[in-house]
Amino acid sequence: MYKPFQKHLEEEIHRRFDLQPMPLPDDLERQVSERGKNSATIQSWCYSCSQLRKLRYTYIDGGTAIQVFNSVIYPSHHYDIPLLGIDLLSFNRRRNVVVIDFQPLFRDADYQAKYIEPMRKMYESFDDLAQNLGMKFYDANQYFSKYLIFAKAEADIVPTRVMEAFKVYVNKYFLMLEEATPLTEPSDIQRIVQAQKDYDQYSAERDPAHGLFSSYFGHEWAERFLYEFLFEDARPVETTVGRRRSYAISYRSATGH
Ligand code: BLA
């Protein structure tokens, strides 16, 4: 369902950047779950180049039961621009959740004016996909912009309207990167290093995918995938474990996985 999104992103990044593959451990790179009709394959790719410190994306193909395309672009620490965050999910073709955002590193007014306000026009042209849905897992005020695409979409508009928004956001993101001035002051760079690290920590602790990964690929694998690949600058914290356990249980009872 989201393979054309992956293809578009791949074409764009290979056209624009001189990418170096960043290898990941074999068992994290690709994993297959064989659970009768709940089988699924998860595969991930990761690159870097001089402007982008880490560009990763993951596809989960579980037939009609589940389709996911997830990606994060981390600019080099010389740029204070937001991260590009993409999370496109489909469960049974009925529950299709799409999220695309320029994820801000900072929340002050100058930053908003410089990097978030310029998103407004683009956002307003996709107001049908900006549904102001409440967030259960994340805090909408932290690492999300107010101009994010966040929608529950009917499957028939995924290849059309959602794809259109995806292309516009991705293109605009790369333009923003092209126009950005690299910072050189060590204190500026240190602030960015810390903010990107904090993003990983926050995301690893909140990510609603943990239950899903555990149910398909097991708890151990889920932890490794989160902390060794998706958010590798995060460190596991004890308090997250209990919350995850209860989430995994409610996830299993809700989905039967
Ligand atoms: C929600 N993301 C979700 C959900 C799942 C995932 C299972 C809950 C869906 C539901 O409501 O039924 C899945 N997240 C994943 C997967 C990966 C992952 C499979 O990281 C990794 C492969 N999430 C991101 C990024 C963004 C993001 C980069 O990983 C930014 C655009 C956003 N996902 C996001 C948001 C929600 C979500 C805003 C809704 C969460 C909420 O309600 O708080």
Side-chain angles (χ1 to χ4, degrees), residues 68-208:
V68 176
F69 180 59
N70 177 278
S71 177
V72 178
I73 295 182
Y74 297 78
S76 117
H77 290 137
H78 292 84
Y79 295 107
D80 65 352
I81 66 167
L83 313 188
L84 179 65
I86 296 163
D87 204 10
L88 309 173
L89 311 141
S90 176
F91 303 97
N92 301 313
R93 278 185 73 82
R94 276 196 309 275
R95 183 178 171 82
N96 310 306
V97 180
V98 297
V99 196
I100 308 169
D101 197 14
F102 294 2
Q103 302 198 260
L105 290 178
F106 304 108
R107 296 205 270 177
D108 56 277
D110 286 352
Y111 193 86
Q112 290 285 322
K114 193 167 172 193
Y115 295 125
I116 307 304
E117 261 330 294
M119 298 171 69
R120 189 153 72 92
K121 266 221 173 83
M122 162 176 87
Y123 169 81
E124 284 171 354
S125 69
F126 295 107
D127 58 355
D128 50 324
L129 298 176
Q131 299 174 352
N132 255 318
L133 307 171
M135 290 190 190
K136 295 187 294 281
F137 298 93
Y138 299 105
D139 171 358
N141 296 312
Q142 225 178 337
Y143 304 114
F144 288 99
S145 79
K146 59 179 170 178
Y147 299 135
L148 82 165
I149 298 285
F150 184 15
K152 291 193 180 132
E154 294 295 329
D156 62 337
I157 69 154
V158 167
T160 53
R161 195 66 180 144
V162 176
M163 179 55 103
E164 215 178 305
F166 178 74
K167 286 182 173 170
V168 169
Y169 270 68
V170 167
N171 190 54
K172 174 98 174 159
Y173 185 78
F174 289 137
L175 288 180
M176 176 175 67
L177 176 66
E178 267 172 27
E179 286 165 8
T181 316
L183 299 170
T184 52
E185 201 59 49
S187 62
D188 287 337
I189 291 171
Q190 201 39 53
R191 204 169 150 251
I192 297 164
V193 169
Q194 192 58 49
Q196 289 197 5
K197 209 177 260 183
D198 292 346
Y199 169 90
D200 267 19
Q201 190 68 41
Y202 176 85
S203 303
E205 287 172 23
R206 304 288 183 110
D207 201 326

Side-chain angles (χ1 to χ4, degrees), residues 35 42 60 66 70 87 89 91 137-138 203-228 230-231 236-237 240-249 251-252 257:
R35 299 186 164 200
I42 184 168
I60 305 176
I66 178 169
N70 177 278
D87 204 10
L89 311 141
F91 303 97
F137 298 93
Y138 299 105
S203 303
E205 287 172 23
R206 304 288 183 110
D207 201 326
H210 189 278
L212 188 155
F213 295 147
S214 296
S215 73
Y216 277 95
F217 308 107
H219 175 76
E220 296 281 299
W221 187 91
E223 287 286 300
R224 286 192 53 222
F225 189 63
L226 273 166
Y227 289 99
E228 292 176 30
L230 291 181
F231 307 110
V237 285
T240 316
V241 177
R243 196 172 46 70
R244 283 228 173 98
R245 202 165 283 135
S246 58
Y247 177 70
I249 292 163
Y251 180 86
R252 277 198 295 276
H257 287 175

